[in-house]
């Protein structure tokens, strides 16, 4: 890594990182803290990270740990090593947003809920298309699986500990039955990571669960009827409406 002096403020921005962790997790902590500094804009696109030696001193780790951490961050598309310029932060358009660390940090710093809003739109589009495909190609045996999944939602609608998992199972099953492995994989990554955010869970109540159940029933009935257009419309509407029910207002929206 080049020993070029980073722009003023870059090093100080990294001083606010999280406390030191046990040795076995230091590499993970270094990656997380550097990704967070980039995501938050503390180190802006076009800026250079501090040199390897300074990063090692800051994080109290070896230069080997820093070198490996920088390599992992480069693989995520956040930085590039430019000869003569050092390790340069890349624009957001180059980031691997589906990377678990990048996505987790984006969600951790999503005070405006813009990332979760975008995830809802992406999910609605992809899951809508997959639900359409499931309605078009499902076999009687596959329909039985969807019906069983809906039944588990009906049985747990009053149980806030069980119902969300039954809801998740229904979505994952419909996606899997679509046969679109790429869209299914992308959506499952987004959905699973978003569910780990308290902001995604948002406002929950058994009244909301009953509304969600009815929306899933419409999806099920469209699949059962072999109606791709209605199945897609029902799933799209459910995902967008359910997010708006859960969504907390941000400071600007109050």
């Amino acid at each position: 890594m080049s020993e070029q002096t980073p722009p003023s403020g870059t090093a100080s921005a990294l001083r606010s990182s999280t406390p030191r962790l046990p040795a076995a997790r230091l590499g993970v902590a270094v990656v997380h803290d550097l990704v967070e500094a980039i995501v938050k804009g503390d180190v802006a696109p076009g800026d250079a990270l501090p040199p390897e030696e300074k990063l090692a001193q800051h994080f109290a780790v070896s230069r080997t740990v820093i070198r490996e951490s920088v390599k992992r961050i480069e693989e995520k598309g956040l930085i590039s090593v430019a000869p003569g310029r050092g390790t340069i932060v890349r624009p957001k358009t180059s980031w691997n947003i589906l990377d678990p660390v990048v996505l987790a940090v984006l969600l951790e710093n999503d005070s405006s809920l813009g990332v979760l809003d975008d995830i809802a739109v992406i999910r609605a589009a992809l899951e809508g298309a997959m639900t359409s495909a499931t309605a078009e190609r499902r076999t009687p045996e596959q329909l039985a699986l969807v019906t069983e999944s809906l039944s588990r939602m009906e049985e747990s609608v009053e149980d806030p500990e069980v119902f969300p998992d039954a809801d998740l199972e229904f979505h994952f099953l419909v996606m899997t039955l679509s046969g679109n492995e790429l869209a299914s994989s992308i959506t499952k990554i987004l959905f699973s990571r978003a569910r780990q955010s308290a902001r995604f869970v948002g406002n929950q109540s058994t009244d909301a669960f009953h509304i969600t159940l009815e929306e899933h029933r419409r999806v099920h009935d469209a699949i059962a009827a072999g109606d791709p257009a209605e199945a897609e419309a029902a799933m799209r509407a459910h995902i967008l409406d359910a997010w708006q029910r859960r969504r907390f207002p941000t400071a600007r929206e109050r």
Side-chain angles (χ1 to χ4, degrees):
M1 184 186 300
S2 169
E3 295 297 311
Q4 175 186 351
T5 301
S8 176
T10 299
S12 61
L14 294 173
R15 293 194 189 108
S16 61
S17 57
T18 57
R20 302 285 73 76
L21 296 175
R25 296 180 58 196
L26 280 175
V28 174
V30 170
V31 170
H32 178 279
D33 286 359
L34 288 175
V35 169
E36 183 171 54
I38 294 169
V39 166
K40 291 171 65 177
D42 294 336
V43 190
D47 285 353
L49 292 182
E52 191 175 278
E53 182 177 359
K54 289 187 177 180
L55 287 174
Q57 291 173 353
H58 168 72
F59 288 107
V61 297
S62 69
R63 293 179 67 161
T64 299
V65 170
I66 294 299
R67 198 172 297 120
E68 289 301 315
S69 297
V70 167
K71 181 179 179 180
R72 288 198 291 273
I73 296 170
E74 184 178 17
E75 291 169 349
K76 301 176 191 302
L78 275 69
I79 58 175
S80 61
V81 178
R85 295 187 60 204
T87 303
I88 307 301
V89 174
R90 302 180 69 187
K92 191 173 183 178
T93 52
S94 300
W95 301 355
N96 178 7
I97 302 297
L98 293 180
D99 178 88
V101 177
V102 177
L103 184 55
V105 172
L106 283 168
L107 290 169
E108 288 167 12
N109 294 277
D110 187 28
S111 59
S112 70
L113 301 184
V115 176
L116 287 172
D117 287 339
D118 288 346
I119 287 177
V121 171
I122 294 168
R123 282 188 56 216
L126 291 179
E127 285 198 55
M130 285 185 281
T131 306
S132 173
T134 297
E136 185 173 17
R137 70 196 302 262
R138 60 90 180 148
T139 64
E141 294 76 18
Q142 291 172 335
L143 175 59
L145 293 176
V146 178
T147 302
E148 290 173 12
S149 184
L150 181 66
S151 296
R152 283 189 282 275
M153 292 184 66
E154 293 170 338
E155 294 165 0
S156 61
V157 70
E158 297 288 338
D159 189 339
E161 298 297 322
V162 177
F163 184 80
D165 288 336
D167 184 339
L168 176 70
E169 178 189 275
F170 183 97
H171 282 268
F172 278 22
L173 174 62
V174 171
M175 286 189 277
T176 298
L177 294 179
S178 74
N180 190 330
E181 295 182 1
L182 180 57
S184 178
S185 177
I186 292 171
T187 309
K188 288 175 181 178
I189 289 171
L190 293 172
F191 196 0
S192 297
R193 185 62 61 178
R195 284 185 87 225
Q196 297 175 22
S197 168
R199 295 185 179 98
F200 176 81
V201 175
N203 296 298
Q204 295 276 32
S205 68
T206 53
D207 287 342
F209 290 164
H210 279 279
I211 297 172
T212 294
L213 175 61
E214 184 57 36
E215 291 171 348
H216 282 74
R217 187 175 288 118
R218 287 198 287 270
V219 172
H220 167 275
D221 291 350
I223 292 174
D227 188 337
E230 176 59 26
E232 179 171 2
M235 181 60 86
R236 278 177 175 265
H238 158 62
I239 291 172
L240 295 174
D241 291 348
W243 167 235
Q244 289 304 314
R245 286 195 298 272
R246 295 193 311 274
R247 191 183 191 278
F248 289 116
T250 60
R252 182 176 297 179
E253 296 164 337
R254 291 191 182 98

